[in-house]
Amino acid sequence: MRVVTTLPSATEIVAALGLEPVGVSHECDFPPEVESLPSVTRSRIESAASSGEIDRQVLETTADEDGVYEVDVATLERLDPDLIVTQGMCDVCAVDEAVVADAVAEIDADPEVLTTDPHSVEDVLADVDRIGAATGREERAREVRTELEERIAAVRDRTAGLGLESEDRPRVAIFDWTDPAMIAGHWTAELVEWAGGEYGLADPGERSRPREWDEIRDYDPEVVIVAPCGFDLEQTAANRTDLTEREGWADLTAVREGRVWAMDGDHYLNRPGPRLVDTLEAVAPIVQPGPGDVGPPTEVAIPFDELAELESRTLAPTDSRGE
Protein backbone atom coordinates (compact mmCIF):
# COMPACT_ATOMS: atom_id res chain seq x y z
CA MET A 1 0.00 0.00 0.00
CA ARG A 2 1.23 3.46 -0.93
CA VAL A 3 0.84 5.62 2.18
CA VAL A 4 1.46 9.36 2.49
CA THR A 5 1.58 10.98 5.93
CA THR A 6 1.24 14.71 6.53
CA LEU A 7 2.37 14.91 10.16
CA PRO A 8 5.20 13.40 12.23
CA SER A 9 3.02 11.41 14.67
CA ALA A 10 1.28 9.62 11.80
CA THR A 11 4.64 8.80 10.25
CA GLU A 12 5.80 7.29 13.54
CA ILE A 13 2.66 5.18 13.84
CA VAL A 14 2.98 3.94 10.25
CA ALA A 15 6.64 3.08 10.88
CA ALA A 16 5.74 1.24 14.10
CA LEU A 17 3.36 -0.87 12.02
CA GLY A 18 6.28 -1.94 9.85
CA LEU A 19 5.49 0.22 6.83
CA GLU A 20 7.48 2.92 5.07
CA PRO A 21 5.44 5.81 3.66
CA VAL A 22 6.09 6.86 0.07
CA GLY A 23 5.80 10.50 1.12
CA VAL A 24 5.86 12.47 4.36
CA SER A 25 5.60 16.02 5.66
CA HIS A 26 8.49 18.47 5.77
CA GLU A 27 8.54 18.04 9.58
CA CYS A 28 8.82 14.25 9.67
CA ASP A 29 12.16 13.16 11.13
CA PHE A 30 11.58 9.90 13.01
CA PRO A 31 12.55 7.20 12.43
CA PRO A 32 15.59 8.91 10.87
CA GLU A 33 15.28 7.14 7.52
CA VAL A 34 12.04 8.99 6.70
CA GLU A 35 13.99 12.25 6.31
CA SER A 36 15.13 11.04 2.88
CA LEU A 37 11.56 10.45 1.65
CA PRO A 38 9.76 12.93 -0.63
CA SER A 39 8.07 15.77 1.24
CA VAL A 40 4.52 16.67 0.24
CA THR A 41 4.14 19.73 2.45
CA ARG A 42 5.78 23.08 3.18
CA SER A 43 5.33 25.78 5.77
CA ARG A 44 4.86 29.51 5.29
CA ILE A 45 6.36 30.11 8.74
CA GLU A 46 10.05 30.69 9.49
CA SER A 47 10.48 27.88 12.01
CA ALA A 48 13.86 29.14 13.25
CA ALA A 49 12.36 32.46 14.41
CA SER A 50 11.73 33.36 18.05
CA SER A 51 8.57 32.11 19.75
CA GLY A 52 7.03 35.58 19.67
CA GLU A 53 7.86 36.06 15.99
CA ILE A 54 6.45 32.64 15.09
CA ASP A 55 3.23 33.54 16.90
CA ARG A 56 3.03 36.78 14.91
CA GLN A 57 3.58 34.97 11.63
CA VAL A 58 0.91 32.39 12.47
CA LEU A 59 -1.62 35.13 13.24
CA GLU A 60 -0.82 36.87 9.96
CA THR A 61 -1.10 33.76 7.79
CA THR A 62 -4.37 32.69 9.36
CA ALA A 63 -5.79 36.21 9.07
CA ASP A 64 -5.15 36.41 5.32
CA GLU A 65 -6.62 32.90 4.83
CA ASP A 66 -3.45 31.53 3.24
CA GLY A 67 -2.99 29.15 6.14
CA VAL A 68 0.24 28.03 7.74
CA TYR A 69 0.88 25.07 5.42
CA GLU A 70 0.48 24.09 1.81
CA VAL A 71 0.61 20.77 -0.03
CA ASP A 72 2.95 20.14 -2.95
CA VAL A 73 0.25 18.91 -5.32
CA ALA A 74 2.68 17.88 -8.07
CA THR A 75 4.62 15.64 -5.69
CA LEU A 76 1.45 14.22 -4.22
CA GLU A 77 0.17 13.31 -7.68
CA ARG A 78 3.50 11.71 -8.61
CA LEU A 79 3.40 9.55 -5.46
CA ASP A 80 -0.06 8.25 -6.40
CA PRO A 81 -1.10 7.37 -2.82
CA ASP A 82 -3.69 4.80 -1.80
CA LEU A 83 -3.98 6.30 1.69
CA ILE A 84 -3.22 9.74 3.13
CA VAL A 85 -3.05 10.09 6.91
CA THR A 86 -3.67 13.65 8.07
CA GLN A 87 -5.07 15.42 11.14
CA GLY A 88 -7.91 17.64 12.25
CA MET A 89 -6.66 18.60 15.70
CA CYS A 90 -4.76 21.82 14.96
CA ASP A 91 -4.21 23.80 11.76
CA VAL A 92 -1.13 25.44 13.30
CA CYS A 93 0.70 22.25 14.32
CA ALA A 94 0.51 20.43 10.97
CA VAL A 95 -1.27 20.27 7.63
CA ASP A 96 -4.94 19.67 8.37
CA GLU A 97 -7.69 17.73 6.63
CA ALA A 98 -9.12 20.75 4.77
CA VAL A 99 -5.81 21.51 3.06
CA VAL A 100 -5.38 17.84 2.16
CA ALA A 101 -8.92 17.65 0.74
CA ASP A 102 -8.22 20.62 -1.52
CA ALA A 103 -5.02 18.97 -2.76
CA VAL A 104 -6.69 15.60 -3.39
CA ALA A 105 -9.31 17.35 -5.51
CA GLU A 106 -6.52 18.45 -7.88
CA ILE A 107 -4.96 15.03 -8.53
CA ASP A 108 -6.07 12.01 -10.57
CA ALA A 109 -5.64 9.52 -7.74
CA ASP A 110 -8.56 8.88 -5.39
CA PRO A 111 -6.86 7.95 -2.11
CA GLU A 112 -8.60 7.17 1.15
CA VAL A 113 -8.02 10.02 3.61
CA LEU A 114 -7.76 9.02 7.27
CA THR A 115 -8.00 11.95 9.68
CA THR A 116 -6.61 11.73 13.20
CA ASP A 117 -7.94 14.03 15.92
CA PRO A 118 -6.43 12.93 19.23
CA HIS A 119 -7.10 14.77 22.49
CA SER A 120 -6.31 11.96 24.94
CA VAL A 121 -3.94 9.04 25.28
CA GLU A 122 -6.79 6.68 24.42
CA ASP A 123 -7.35 8.65 21.21
CA VAL A 124 -3.70 8.10 20.28
CA LEU A 125 -3.97 4.36 20.95
CA ALA A 126 -7.17 4.25 18.91
CA ASP A 127 -5.31 5.92 16.02
CA VAL A 128 -2.85 3.02 16.08
CA ASP A 129 -5.82 0.66 15.65
CA ARG A 130 -7.40 2.79 12.92
CA ILE A 131 -4.23 3.15 10.88
CA GLY A 132 -3.54 -0.54 11.37
CA ALA A 133 -6.97 -1.39 9.99
CA ALA A 134 -6.58 1.01 7.05
CA THR A 135 -3.22 -0.50 6.07
CA GLY A 136 -4.06 -4.16 6.67
CA ARG A 137 -1.73 -4.32 9.69
CA GLU A 138 -4.33 -5.09 12.36
CA GLU A 139 -2.26 -7.74 14.12
CA ARG A 140 0.83 -5.55 14.29
CA ALA A 141 -1.34 -2.66 15.54
CA ARG A 142 -2.59 -4.84 18.39
CA GLU A 143 1.00 -5.71 19.30
CA VAL A 144 2.06 -2.04 19.26
CA ARG A 145 -0.93 -0.99 21.33
CA THR A 146 -0.39 -3.77 23.87
CA GLU A 147 3.25 -2.81 24.34
CA LEU A 148 2.35 0.85 24.84
CA GLU A 149 -0.43 -0.03 27.30
CA GLU A 150 1.95 -2.22 29.31
CA ARG A 151 4.44 0.64 29.60
CA ILE A 152 1.69 3.03 30.68
CA ALA A 153 0.52 0.50 33.28
CA ALA A 154 4.07 0.19 34.63
CA VAL A 155 4.21 3.94 35.31
CA ARG A 156 0.74 3.99 36.85
CA ASP A 157 1.57 0.99 39.04
CA ARG A 158 4.71 2.77 40.27
CA THR A 159 2.66 5.83 41.16
CA ALA A 160 -0.03 3.74 42.86
CA GLY A 161 2.69 2.01 44.87
CA LEU A 162 3.75 5.34 46.35
CA GLY A 163 0.47 5.57 48.24
CA LEU A 164 0.12 9.26 47.42
CA GLU A 165 -2.28 11.50 49.29
CA SER A 166 -3.53 14.64 47.57
CA GLU A 167 -0.94 16.76 49.36
CA ASP A 168 1.82 14.49 48.02
CA ARG A 169 0.95 15.37 44.44
CA PRO A 170 2.89 18.49 43.39
CA ARG A 171 1.17 21.20 41.37
CA VAL A 172 2.53 20.87 37.84
CA ALA A 173 2.51 23.35 34.96
CA ILE A 174 3.68 22.37 31.49
CA PHE A 175 4.21 25.12 28.93
CA ASP A 176 3.78 24.24 25.27
CA TRP A 177 4.54 27.81 24.19
CA THR A 178 6.38 30.66 25.87
CA ASP A 179 5.42 33.88 24.02
CA PRO A 180 2.54 34.07 24.65
CA ALA A 181 2.60 31.69 27.61
CA MET A 182 0.44 28.65 26.86
CA ILE A 183 -0.35 25.72 29.12
CA ALA A 184 -0.28 22.33 27.40
CA GLY A 185 -3.64 20.63 27.02
CA HIS A 186 -5.09 17.54 25.34
CA TRP A 187 -3.41 14.43 26.86
CA THR A 188 -1.09 16.36 29.19
CA ALA A 189 -3.35 16.29 32.25
CA GLU A 190 -3.54 12.50 32.00
CA LEU A 191 0.23 12.15 31.77
CA VAL A 192 0.76 14.34 34.82
CA GLU A 193 -1.88 12.53 36.87
CA TRP A 194 -0.44 9.12 35.97
CA ALA A 195 3.02 10.40 36.89
CA GLY A 196 1.79 11.42 40.34
CA GLY A 197 1.13 15.14 39.96
CA GLU A 198 -1.76 17.57 40.04
CA TYR A 199 -2.54 19.44 36.82
CA GLY A 200 -4.80 22.23 37.95
CA LEU A 201 -4.51 24.60 34.98
CA ALA A 202 -6.18 22.37 32.36
CA ASP A 203 -8.65 19.50 32.32
CA PRO A 204 -8.06 16.25 30.41
CA GLY A 205 -8.80 16.78 26.73
CA GLU A 206 -8.87 20.58 26.98
CA ARG A 207 -7.08 22.36 24.15
CA SER A 208 -3.85 24.23 24.75
CA ARG A 209 -4.45 27.96 24.96
CA PRO A 210 -2.76 31.19 26.08
CA ARG A 211 -3.02 32.03 29.78
CA GLU A 212 -2.70 35.22 31.72
CA TRP A 213 0.60 35.24 33.55
CA ASP A 214 -1.14 36.19 36.78
CA GLU A 215 -3.22 33.00 36.56
CA ILE A 216 -0.04 30.94 36.41
CA ARG A 217 1.53 32.89 39.27
CA ASP A 218 -1.57 32.38 41.41
CA TYR A 219 -1.45 28.64 40.74
CA ASP A 220 2.23 28.72 41.81
CA PRO A 221 3.38 25.42 40.30
CA GLU A 222 5.74 23.27 42.31
CA VAL A 223 7.03 21.56 39.14
CA VAL A 224 7.41 23.29 35.77
CA ILE A 225 8.20 21.63 32.45
CA VAL A 226 8.86 23.86 29.44
CA ALA A 227 8.14 21.97 26.20
CA PRO A 228 7.25 24.38 23.36
CA CYS A 229 5.43 22.81 20.43
CA GLY A 230 7.85 22.29 17.54
CA PHE A 231 10.94 23.26 19.57
CA ASP A 232 13.81 20.94 20.42
CA LEU A 233 15.98 21.64 23.45
CA GLU A 234 18.31 23.97 21.54
CA GLN A 235 15.46 26.18 20.31
CA THR A 236 13.91 26.17 23.77
CA ALA A 237 17.26 27.35 25.11
CA ALA A 238 17.26 30.25 22.65
CA ASN A 239 13.83 31.34 23.90
CA ARG A 240 14.22 30.67 27.63
CA THR A 241 14.09 34.38 28.56
CA ASP A 242 10.43 34.44 27.44
CA LEU A 243 9.81 32.99 30.89
CA THR A 244 12.81 33.95 32.99
CA GLU A 245 12.31 37.68 32.38
CA ARG A 246 8.64 37.65 33.36
CA GLU A 247 7.72 39.38 36.59
CA GLY A 248 7.45 36.86 39.38
CA TRP A 249 9.16 33.98 37.58
CA ALA A 250 11.88 33.75 40.22
CA ASP A 251 9.21 33.66 42.94
CA LEU A 252 7.45 30.54 41.66
CA THR A 253 7.87 27.62 44.03
CA ALA A 254 9.19 25.41 41.22
CA VAL A 255 11.90 27.94 40.40
CA ARG A 256 12.88 28.54 44.02
CA GLU A 257 13.13 24.80 44.67
CA GLY A 258 14.97 24.00 41.43
CA ARG A 259 12.20 21.86 39.95
CA VAL A 260 12.02 23.37 36.47
CA TRP A 261 12.82 21.22 33.45
CA ALA A 262 13.06 21.77 29.72
CA MET A 263 11.68 19.04 27.46
CA ASP A 264 11.99 18.45 23.74
CA GLY A 265 8.43 19.44 22.92
CA ASP A 266 8.81 18.71 19.23
CA HIS A 267 9.62 15.01 19.50
CA TYR A 268 7.85 14.13 22.73
CA LEU A 269 5.07 16.02 24.54
CA ASN A 270 3.45 17.51 21.44
CA ARG A 271 3.75 14.52 19.12
CA PRO A 272 0.73 12.22 19.65
CA GLY A 273 2.27 8.97 18.50
CA PRO A 274 4.08 6.06 20.17
CA ARG A 275 6.65 8.35 21.81
CA LEU A 276 3.94 9.95 23.90
CA VAL A 277 4.61 7.00 26.21
CA ASP A 278 8.30 7.98 26.26
CA THR A 279 7.03 11.38 27.41
CA LEU A 280 5.10 9.79 30.27
CA GLU A 281 8.17 7.81 31.30
CA ALA A 282 10.22 11.03 31.29
CA VAL A 283 7.64 13.06 33.21
CA ALA A 284 7.28 10.45 35.98
CA PRO A 285 10.74 10.86 37.59
CA ILE A 286 10.44 14.64 37.27
CA VAL A 287 7.12 14.75 39.13
CA GLN A 288 7.82 11.96 41.63
CA PRO A 289 11.59 11.36 41.81
CA GLY A 290 12.46 8.20 43.68
CA PRO A 291 15.61 6.95 45.39
CA GLY A 292 18.26 6.26 42.81
CA ASP A 293 16.36 7.97 39.99
CA VAL A 294 18.71 9.54 37.47
CA GLY A 295 15.93 11.52 35.82
CA PRO A 296 14.76 11.35 32.22
CA PRO A 297 17.14 10.72 29.29
CA THR A 298 19.02 13.91 28.44
CA GLU A 299 17.80 13.83 24.84
CA VAL A 300 14.26 14.12 26.20
CA ALA A 301 14.58 16.61 29.08
CA ILE A 302 17.21 18.51 31.05
CA PRO A 303 17.09 20.82 34.07
CA PHE A 304 16.04 24.30 32.94
CA ASP A 305 19.15 25.84 34.44
CA GLU A 306 21.25 23.87 31.95
CA LEU A 307 19.64 25.61 28.98
CA ALA A 308 22.01 28.57 29.20
CA GLU A 309 25.00 26.24 28.90
CA LEU A 310 23.29 24.36 26.06
CA GLU A 311 22.71 27.63 24.19
CA SER A 312 26.31 28.72 24.66
CA ARG A 313 27.55 25.41 23.25
CA THR A 314 25.15 25.69 20.32
CA LEU A 315 26.21 29.25 19.50
CA ALA A 316 29.92 28.78 20.14
CA PRO A 317 32.01 29.74 17.08
CA THR A 318 33.95 27.01 15.33
CA ASP A 319 37.32 27.18 13.59
CA SER A 320 37.88 26.29 9.95
CA ARG A 321 37.97 22.58 10.82
CA GLY A 322 34.51 22.78 12.45
CA GLU A 323 35.88 22.18 15.93
Side-chain angles (χ1 to χ4, degrees), residues 17-45:
L17 297 177
L19 297 170
E20 182 177 273
V22 296
V24 295
S25 82
H26 64 286
E27 296 175 311
C28 292
D29 56 10
F30 190 87
E33 53 267 27
V34 304
E35 293 187 87
S36 64
L37 297 176
S39 172
V40 300
T41 68
R42 359 177 219 270
S43 173
R44 295 185 174 94
I45 302 300

Side-chain angles (χ1 to χ4, degrees), residues 3 21 32 167:
V3 181
E167 61 269 19

Side-chain angles (χ1 to χ4, degrees), residues 113-140:
V113 178
L114 190 159
T115 301
T116 64
D117 188 21
H119 299 278
S120 67
V121 175
E122 173 56 35
D123 289 345
V124 175
L125 297 175
D127 283 339
V128 173
D129 293 333
R130 294 173 62 224
I131 296 173
T135 56
R137 295 296 180 106
E138 293 93 340
E139 183 176 352
R140 177 56 185 159

Side-chain angles (χ1 to χ4, degrees), residues 52-68:
E53 174 61 18
I54 290 174
D55 183 68
R56 185 192 65 78
Q57 291 181 44
V58 167
L59 292 175
E60 286 185 353
T61 57
T62 52
D64 63 17
E65 298 184 353
D66 282 342
V68 177

Side-chain angles (χ1 to χ4, degrees), residues 122-159:
E122 173 56 35
D123 289 345
V124 175
L125 297 175
D127 283 339
V128 173
D129 293 333
R130 294 173 62 224
I131 296 173
T135 56
R137 295 296 180 106
E138 293 93 340
E139 183 176 352
R140 177 56 185 159
R142 285 192 293 271
E143 293 172 354
V144 171
R145 177 170 180 147
T146 297
E147 178 187 348
L148 295 175
E149 289 176 331
E150 288 174 348
R151 290 167 59 194
I152 292 169
V155 174
R156 299 185 71 177
D157 288 347
R158 172 186 180 272
T159 301

